[in-house]
Amino acid sequence: MKNGSIISIKNVTKRFPVGEGEFTALKNINLEFQSGEFAGLVGPSGSGKTTLLNIIGSLDSPTEGEALVLGKSISKLSHKESALLRNKHIGFIFQVYNLLPVYTVYENVEFALLLQNIPKVQRQKMVMEALDWVGLASMADKKPDKLSGGEGQRVAIARAIVKKPVIVIADEPSANLDAENTYAILKTMRELNKNLGTTFLFSTHDEKVMGHLDRIIHLRDGAVEEDEIINVKTLTK
Amino acid sequence: MKLAFQLAYKNLVGAGLRTWLNVGVLAFSFIIIIFYNGLIDGWNEQAKHDSIAWEYGNGQLLHADYDPFDPFTILDGHGVLENELSKNLAPILLRQASIYPEGRMFSVALKGIDVNQTTLKLPTASLKNSNAKIPAMMGINMADAANLKKGDEVLLRWRDQGGTFDAAKITVVDIFETNVPTVDMGQVWIPIRKMWEMTGLENHTTFYVANENFQPSNISGWKYQSQETLLSDLNEIIAMKKISGSIMYLLLLAIALLAIFDTQVLSVFRRQKEIGTYISLGMTRAQVVGLFTVEGSMYSIFAMILGSIVGIPLFAYLAKIGIGMPAASRDMGVPLAERIFPVFGIQLIVGTILLVVIASTIVSFLPARKIAKMNPVLALKGKLQ
């Protein structure tokens, strides 16, 4: 793991059983991500973007090679350890928001803090702060089914960043959003990236998202086709 | 664990109608189980109480040759007990006899009883206070069957000690109401002194009924049967009734638990994305399994609350006014009051609550175990089959 690197992907290959054979989703991937990056994995469907993000997020593990996240080898983590890693250091933003339908906006955002046993008063402060960041403090009592797509995704962003994680993984965050909402959430994430120093890793094939990234890693058929660094400042931050 | 309860509560309340349907079915089971057991316990208490009050007293001292289950022993199963030993005992002499109301013959057990006794609830004072030549009393069912009423005279035929038939008219001086059929149906009660005269069996007794001051001891020619022994048949009948009743309520409980099981299986399948989200947010698989299990067992807690809201006033009302039993059910041969007052004891309520909570936790845990083997990536995509 290089100095300043928080994610190190070394010769990672991921295969899935398909019928009696296997499908290789990632082929010998080597990547490094440093703290504070605003990077995206770009490529067509089936190129391995989500698989790689799942491995980085410790939701999956490589078949071969090693993925080190915050110095921890994903393959070697127990269920409990990987849950702890996700709970403390990794935030997720999903394409379909994955908000818990029976909870209010406030409760959805509060969830990760409940798992960390943070005292109520501190929790309240953190949740409202996160909702302020995404501009939804006034909607704290609403249920997810009363929100628009853009609002739902902003709640998901607030939920991901409320615990101030080191890494936020956003899997196709704009796939269900129009241009205006896409711009709004990217702007929010960009500000959080700058203000909190959180590393954002996206998977996307949305050109509107790509325009905001500092680094674009092009994946094709499970392999890195091109690692394009656009904004060097962020990388050296 | 506290978190699991907090989240489970929110999930269940948030699930709306689905939750309340399950809770309703389970609460109904709670109420039925407690009601039925309370009814049986009430019957049990009443039957024991009445049997002791009307027939068994504090136990019975039987002549060694007399077997209550063998009518052939009535003829010779009697004897004389010394006065010293018969303290705290109410004597009863039993003979077979017939009455002829409206010319029809009725075989009866003719029972002579001490008119001064106070051990049994039988209204023997009526016999004592009557001026009739042979005063007699009987239970209301016997009177109905023989079409006799208070003041009627009826011909009685019996055998004396030598086996010779004799007959005389008896006067019905009292008809008593009792829940104990074994002192009612087929029985005619007369003063024991009169019976001694009629049969020539002076001072003879078939069995004695003991009061609470009687101290049992070995008496030659006599056998003592404790209250507990005498009640054993009744206890067996009630135990059988409980078993047959428990089949009914276990079926009911099984339906309620099946509803929870079904909901849990569906939940695990339908809420895959939610499960994946929980895991991605940092819950361990064990925590998610725990959450789903607590959700299932919380149905029973909600059902307990709902059951209490409906059940407590209902049970309090029933325990106060009792439940009327149909007249036909009194032909069962066991003491059965016109109204049974159910007994809802703490043991019954706590036992039922524990049974339902444990059972619902188990049926919730079984489907939730699947979560432990779930691939969170597939769960997030909702692609698990």
Side-chain angles (χ1 to χ4, degrees), chain A residues 101-103 143, chain B residues 7-25 263 267 270-271 295 299 302 306:
Chain A
V102 298
Y103 297 179
K143 288 273 176 76
Chain B
L7 299 178
Y9 174 79
K10 279 180 187 167
N11 287 345
L12 289 186
V13 171
L17 188 63
R18 182 165 49 105
T19 298
W20 299 118
L21 281 174
N22 280 335
V23 168
V25 173
T263 305
S267 279
R270 279 179 45 203
R271 293 165 64 190
E295 272 185 31
Y299 283 120
F302 283 170
L306 180 65

Side-chain angles (χ1 to χ4, degrees), chain A:
Chain A
M1 208 161 164
K2 287 178 188 169
N3 209 10
S5 165
I6 55 166
I7 300 164
S8 177
I9 309 295
K10 294 176 188 169
N11 306 317
V12 163
T13 294
K14 179 70 185 179
R15 294 189 202 94
F16 294 108
V18 178
E20 289 182 6
E22 278 186 330
F23 168 72
T24 305
L26 296 174
K27 295 170 191 165
N28 200 30
I29 301 281
N30 285 284
L31 286 169
E32 293 278 338
F33 294 95
Q34 291 174 36
S35 177
E37 280 201 47
F38 202 72
L41 304 173
V42 175
S45 292
S47 59
K49 306 182 295 287
T50 302
T51 305
L52 184 54
L53 286 186
N54 286 337
I55 290 172
I56 294 170
S58 81
L59 290 172
D60 210 345
S61 56
T63 313
E64 287 168 20
E66 189 173 41
L68 290 169
V69 177
L70 302 173
K72 292 184 170 74
S73 175
I74 296 298
S75 328
K76 290 175 185 165
L77 294 177
S78 65
H79 284 318
K80 207 172 174 180
E81 286 167 336
S82 66
L84 194 67
L85 178 70
R86 287 191 296 273
N87 182 222
K88 296 247 178 195
H89 305 298
I90 302 173
F92 286 88
I93 299 167
F94 301 101
Q95 183 179 334
V96 287
Y97 330 136
N98 284 32
L99 298 178
L100 300 166
V102 298
Y103 297 179
T104 62
V105 164
Y106 181 93
E107 289 164 346
N108 264 285
V109 178
E110 186 190 29
F111 193 93
L113 305 179
L114 283 172
L115 293 177
Q116 291 183 18
N117 292 323
I118 292 172
K120 193 177 177 184
V121 177
Q122 197 185 339
R123 238 168 36 221
Q124 272 177 334
K125 193 174 161 238
M126 290 170 81
V127 172
M128 291 318 290
E129 194 178 39
L131 287 173
D132 269 337
W133 287 331
V134 297
L136 288 177
S138 60
M139 294 194 167
D141 295 330
K142 290 210 164 149
K143 288 273 176 76
D145 59 357
K146 303 287 179 214
L147 303 175
S148 68
E151 287 165 346
Q153 195 58 296
R154 276 150 66 196
V155 176
I157 294 168
R159 183 177 65 182
I161 49 109
V162 69
K163 58 191 177 187
K164 298 197 174 82
V166 181
I167 304 159
V168 169
I169 290 170
D171 188 8
E172 306 270 11
S174 62
N176 289 330
L177 302 179
D178 57 20
E180 196 184 335
N181 276 310
T182 300
Y183 175 75
I185 64 146
L186 280 168
K187 191 172 163 243
T188 306
M189 288 193 275
R190 192 54 156 158
E191 279 170 12
L192 293 167
N193 166 249
K194 282 181 182 166
N195 297 336
L196 303 175
T198 310
T199 303
F200 277 81
L201 295 183
F202 295 85
S203 80
T204 185
H205 46 242
D206 185 343
E207 287 185 6
K208 295 188 291 291
V209 176
M210 288 182 224
H212 290 79
L213 299 174
D214 293 335
R215 182 184 176 191
I216 300 175
I217 297 147
H218 296 267
L219 292 177
R220 182 173 290 277
D221 296 332
V224 176
E225 197 177 50
E226 188 187 356
D227 190 349
E228 193 183 355
I229 295 168
I230 297 157
N231 187 349
V232 181
K233 278 182 190 170
T234 312
L235 294 176
T236 54
K237 188 178 173 182

Side-chain angles (χ1 to χ4, degrees), chain B residues 367-380:
Chain B
R369 281 182 312 170
K370 266 195 166 184
I371 296 167
K373 293 173 189 163
M374 238 180 214
N375 179 335
V377 174
L378 293 179
L380 276 167

Side-chain angles (χ1 to χ4, degrees), chain B residues 40 43-44 47-48 56 69 228-244 334:
Chain B
I40 296 278
W43 177 25
N44 189 1
K48 279 185 181 174
Y56 297 148
F69 298 106
E228 204 174 303
T229 310
L230 293 166
L231 288 169
S232 62
D233 284 348
L234 187 61
N235 287 335
E236 274 177 30
I237 291 169
I238 287 163
M240 273 165 50
K241 197 77 192 153
K242 270 202 164 181
I243 291 167
S244 62
V334 287

